[in-house]
Structures are given as C-alpha cells and as structure tokens.
Amino acid sequence: MRSTGVTVRGRLDSIDWAILKELQADGSITNVELARRVGLSAPPCLRRVRALESAGIIKAYRAILDPKGLGFEIVCFAMVQLDVQGKKELQEFEQRVKDWSMVRECWTLSGDIDFIMKCVAPNLASFQGLVSELTSLPNVRNVRTALTLDLIKDEPLVPIEDIAEVTE
C-alpha cells in the first residue's frame, strides 16, 4: 500500500495531518503525549501512526545532532558535473557517493549541474581530501564547492501547514 503524491493527500484527514506535524517536530514524543496533542486516545493514535508507517508516509525516525558539537566544523556543498550521464555512469557515480561518509545528502539536479551534495567534515583538510578524491573520478568533469557560513533556516523537509490547508 506504499503510495506517494496527491492520491495519499486525499486519504489523510485532519488528525493524520496533526499526527504528521507533531512527529515531524519531535519524533521522540510518546504515543500517549502524541494522542493527547491530536485529540485521540492512545490506541487509535498508535493505529494511525502504524498505518502512516505502513503506507510509507512516515519513512524513519531520527535524532538531529549538532555537527559542530561533535567535531564536524565544516558544512559545505559540492556541485558536480559529469562528462557522461548514461545510466551506467550515473549508477557508478551514485554508488561511489554512497561510500563517502562525509556526504550526508546527495540530490540529482536538472540543468548544468548533475548532483549537489551536502557534506560535513571535521576540518578543511578532510573536506579537501574528499574534493580531491571526487575530482579524480574518471567521469567527473567539474566540481564546484561552497563552504557554509551560517545556518539561517533549518526546517523539516515537508511544510505540513501548507499541505494540510490545500487538502482541507
């Protein structure tokens, strides 16, 4: 029953949206507290959460850690352009990216940049090592990097408020 997109939106009611909003804000909330916040008793709330998990709407639960507090001083982005974008070449590059622990997110893009990667590193020398390894790959044409200065906004990926308003 794994679904995505508009079809799923139509099947979610205001309580489902409230559950998603609360869990996205705090994935460690207890079911009892979650149920209280969304106006249900605990058993039906848990059934709804399990149904959202089964449908693939809730993909995972994570703790959000402070990179600097753990010694990762550098947060940066690397934008990669490949020479060839055939299926085989893309798969090879994607597999290589999955092996780099400093790469925390990697997105394929349309336009002249093929991939953007969010990276963390303990120091500039470590990040430069990653960039050096990246630029030495045979299919990489160009790598541009940008070091972050300050985090201005850090919100969960899905703007629940906007979606819930559209579907009601």
Side-chain angles (χ1 to χ4, degrees), residues 55-74:
I57 306 278
I58 297 174
K59 292 174 56 173
Y61 298 91
R62 295 181 181 169
I64 299 172
L65 308 178
D66 175 25
K68 290 188 192 276
L70 295 169
F72 290 89
E73 295 296 321
I74 304 293

Side-chain angles (χ1 to χ4, degrees), residues 22-95:
E22 293 295 335
L23 287 175
Q24 188 168 246
D26 181 4
S28 68
I29 190 173
T30 66
N31 182 59
V32 171
E33 178 60 17
L34 176 62
R36 186 191 68 72
R37 288 186 190 180
V38 301
L40 290 176
S41 62
C45 183
L46 185 58
R47 280 193 296 275
R48 282 177 178 255
V49 169
R50 295 293 183 244
L52 291 165
E53 291 169 347
S54 294
I57 306 278
I58 297 174
K59 292 174 56 173
Y61 298 91
R62 295 181 181 169
I64 299 172
L65 308 178
D66 175 25
K68 290 188 192 276
L70 295 169
F72 290 89
E73 295 296 321
I74 304 293
V75 177
C76 50
F77 291 89
M79 288 133 305
V80 179
Q81 185 179 38
L82 301 180
D83 278 324
V84 179
Q85 293 87 16
K87 185 176 180 178
K88 176 181 175 264
E89 290 80 10
L90 290 171
Q91 286 176 338
E92 287 172 355
F93 182 81
E94 290 168 10
Q95 187 53 54

